[in-house]
Amino acid sequence: MDIQTVEKTLSVKEAIESRHSIRKFEQEDISKENLTEIFELVRLTPSAWNLQPWRFYVVTDHQLKEKLQDAAYGQKQVTSAPAVVLVYSDMEDVIANLPEVVHPGLSPERQQEEVANLSSFFAGMSIEERGQWGLTQTNIALGFLLTAIQGLGYASVPMLGFDHEKVKEILSLPEHVKFAAMVPFGRQAAEGYEHHRFPLEKIVTFH
Ligand SMILES: Cc1cc2nc3c(=O)[nH]c(=O)nc-3n(C[C@H](O)[C@H](O)[C@H](O)COP(=O)(O)O)c2cc1C
């Protein structure tokens, strides 16, 4: 799908280098087109067996943002942002709809075989273990989301500092879902901190 709704996009290098956590945003709504464009990119995140366990709950309603801010121990970036995305994994939904994830190019026999294999693999895990497994994949989508937001001219801050049970209750999400992050985002209205990162020598081995 080729939708061009954002006038200027950053290169991947520009987006990654310019991204900082931003905690103050302009009071300007994000258009539905721009929101859609961001999630059209995030939708392309890869996952093991293509299971795509990530789900996104986008909150723009002010009263709901106030409740989320309370659940996030008062962190003010939540109501400052025009949009707040809850990024979460729902593996039980994936398991209940396994035929959806099997590639349509496979023969019907191969598709059935895939579904049976996946079913038996995940049947050997508890709901909690499946939730944790789904979270490993959903974190990949979180990385794509932060990069897409930045690349399309917005800024964000990923957050895990919130009461997860309270947020499930506020958004009426099932008990089994696992959050990768709460992500307030919008147009940047303050500077972030300078990047402070390990040098390559510490984190990369070349052999
Ligand atoms: C998973 C995750 C959870 C985070 N939780 C919070 C949070 O609850 N509140 C906050 O202000 N920043 C939070 N941060 C932001 C980090 O502090 C920030 O990403 C880190 O210090 C690096 O700075 P930078 O994002 O500006 O490069 C979180 C970041 C990540 C990736």
Side-chain angles (χ1 to χ4, degrees):
M1 195 180 211
D2 186 21
I3 34 176
Q4 289 294 336
T5 49
V6 169
E7 282 160 26
K8 183 183 178 316
T9 58
L10 304 184
S11 69
V12 174
K13 181 173 155 61
E14 287 167 336
I16 291 174
E17 285 181 347
S18 65
R19 192 211 57 79
H20 298 265
S21 288
I22 297 303
R23 297 175 177 83
K24 197 166 175 219
F25 302 92
E26 301 291 350
Q27 300 310 297
E28 171 196 322
D29 288 346
I30 303 169
S31 69
K32 191 72 198 300
E33 288 74 21
N34 287 8
L35 283 172
T36 303
E37 192 168 6
I38 288 166
F39 288 105
E40 283 290 354
L41 293 175
V42 177
R43 197 171 71 85
L44 301 179
T45 303
S47 54
W49 290 310
N50 202 26
L51 292 192
Q52 308 163 65
W54 41 75
R55 302 289 183 267
F56 306 94
Y57 196 126
V58 184
V59 177
T60 53
D61 177 79
H62 192 75
Q63 281 181 342
L64 210 43
K65 282 189 280 184
E66 278 180 344
K67 289 186 184 168
L68 292 176
Q69 182 161 295
D70 279 350
Y73 315 112
Q75 296 191 68
K76 291 200 167 28
Q77 58 266 31
V78 180
T79 53
S80 171
V84 179
V85 188
L86 274 301
V87 182
Y88 65 96
S89 168
D90 190 345
M91 275 302 287
E92 298 314 297
D93 184 49
V94 170
I95 304 289
N97 298 288
L98 279 175
E100 284 180 354
V101 302
V102 177
H103 202 286
L106 293 178
S107 68
E109 295 73 34
R110 282 283 294 113
Q111 291 192 24
Q112 271 183 6
E113 209 178 302
E114 283 276 301
V115 169
N117 286 343
L118 289 168
S119 257
S120 83
F121 179 80
F122 287 106
M125 291 184 180
S126 65
I127 290 181
E128 176 61 26
E129 285 167 338
R130 286 200 290 261
Q132 289 301 332
W133 187 93
L135 200 49
T136 64
Q137 308 301 303
T138 302
N139 278 316
I140 305 171
L142 172 61
F144 271 52
L145 176 69
L146 300 179
T147 310
I149 287 172
Q150 190 74 24
L152 297 184
Y154 294 95
S156 68
V157 53
M159 293 171 56
L160 266 179
F162 60 93
D163 181 332
H164 292 210
E165 295 311 311
K166 214 176 236 177
V167 171
K168 282 181 205 172
E169 203 181 300
I170 293 167
L171 302 180
S172 302
L173 293 173
E175 176 53 33
H176 61 257
V177 306
K178 298 281 180 198
F179 291 108
M182 178 187 292
V183 184
F185 80 99
R187 299 271 183 220
Q188 173 166 352
E191 294 301 311
Y193 295 106
E194 281 283 299
H195 283 140
H196 172 59
R197 295 294 195 272
F198 293 135
L200 285 197
E201 302 79 68
K202 182 175 167 82
I203 60 167
V204 185
T205 304
F206 295 103
H207 192 89

